[in-house]
């Protein structure tokens, strides 16, 4: 029974495409590079590049997660705030709270 369902699924998908039904594509993951600690000693320029990409990536909305990268958006998207700027704003707010 499972083999029949497995074989019928591509037929259903192809008939949906022929009828013009919209099939949602998976979201692209723009967070593919991550800095490795060992690269800091072995490959410092590669490590610096990964840190640069990580800090300049668009951040998620503050209501969702503050300072986390939004992997569905590409770098340098107009109207987005970089992860590094969100962290700097957060550190400034914490400093001002301690001073008052």
């Amino acid at each position: 029974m499972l083999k029949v369902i497995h074989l019928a699924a591509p037929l259903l998908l192809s008939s949906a495409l022929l009828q013009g039904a919209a099939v949602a594509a998976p979201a692209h993951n723009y967070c593919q590079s991550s800095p490795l600690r060992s690269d800091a000693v072995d490959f410092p320029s590669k490590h610096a590049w990964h840190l640069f990409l990580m800090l300049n990536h668009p951040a998620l909305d503050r209501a969702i997660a503050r300072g986390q990268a939004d992997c569905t958006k590409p770098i340098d998207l107009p109207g987005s705030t970089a992860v590094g700027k969100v962290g700097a704003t957060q550190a400034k707010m914490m400093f001002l709270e301690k001073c008052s």
Side-chain angles (χ1 to χ4, degrees), residues 6-46:
H6 180 68
L7 293 175
L11 294 174
L12 293 173
L13 181 61
S14 63
S15 65
L17 290 174
L18 290 175
Q19 294 174 358
V23 176
H28 186 74
N29 183 8
Y30 289 102
C31 299
Q32 294 177 355
S33 63
S34 61
L36 298 174
R37 199 167 222 181
S38 61
D39 285 345
V41 175
D42 299 332
F43 307 104
S45 59
K46 179 181 176 183

Side-chain angles (χ1 to χ4, degrees), residues 30-72:
Y30 289 102
C31 299
Q32 294 177 355
S33 63
S34 61
L36 298 174
R37 199 167 222 181
S38 61
D39 285 345
V41 175
D42 299 332
F43 307 104
S45 59
K46 179 181 176 183
H47 185 69
W49 179 250
H50 287 293
L51 289 174
F52 173 79
L53 290 176
M54 185 180 72
L55 289 174
N56 287 306
H57 204 83
L60 284 170
D61 188 25
R62 291 181 182 183
I64 298 171
R66 189 173 191 142
Q68 297 294 321
D70 187 357
C71 296
T72 61

Side-chain angles (χ1 to χ4, degrees), residues 68-87:
Q68 297 294 321
D70 187 357
C71 296
T72 61
K73 296 179 183 176
I75 292 177
D76 200 25
L77 187 68
S80 62
T81 304
V83 171
K85 291 187 179 185
V86 171

